[in-house]
Amino acid sequence: TYHGYHCEESVKKALVERHPRDSFELATKLPLRDFKDAEDMERIFNEQLEHCGVDYFDYYLLHNMGTNVYDKCQKYDAFGFAAKKKAEGKIKYLGMSFHDMPELLNEILGKYGDGLGTAQCPVPPLSRGSE
């Protein structure tokens, strides 16, 4: 979905069309702010597979998890959706990128942690204050 799928098309041309699928690992993410409902998650995922020219992703992240999207993810079962894709063999390793407070991370890991293989948690830069 980034840059009108041009990045995915570039991956297809530069990597997928030139190398056997088992010779590389491919990661992408479901941008949580972009889906509207369960059907939209399915559409986005299938378009990602198609645009990349692959049958599965090695790594798939529920991207930018935080309070701004968590309720929507629960309402439309984003974790269940991704777990289903993993069970179907379309995702090898499932994870999330998390951008919020530790309390929400604890809640999410308590509910869904067994299904996640990784959680990427970028740390904001430290304030240097006055020196």
Side-chain angles (χ1 to χ4, degrees), residues 68-86:
N68 60 326
V69 294
Y70 185 53
D71 288 342
K72 179 171 75 167
C73 288
Q74 289 186 301
K75 180 178 179 179
Y76 295 112
D77 194 19
F79 289 95
F81 167 80
K84 179 182 169 216
K85 294 301 176 192
K86 185 176 186 228

Side-chain angles (χ1 to χ4, degrees), residues 81-115:
F81 167 80
K84 179 182 169 216
K85 294 301 176 192
K86 185 176 186 228
E88 292 172 356
K90 294 183 178 184
I91 297 171
K92 279 190 170 181
Y93 303 102
L94 176 59
M96 73 171 172
S97 61
F98 181 80
H99 303 265
D100 213 297
M101 301 302 291
E103 296 79 14
L104 181 59
L105 179 61
N106 286 337
E107 180 180 335
I108 292 170
L109 293 177
K111 289 182 179 180
Y112 306 106
D114 289 346

Side-chain angles (χ1 to χ4, degrees), residues 12 18 20 25 44 53 124 126 130:
K12 182 178 179 180
R18 295 179 181 185
E25 294 181 328
I44 290 168
L126 297 174
S130 57

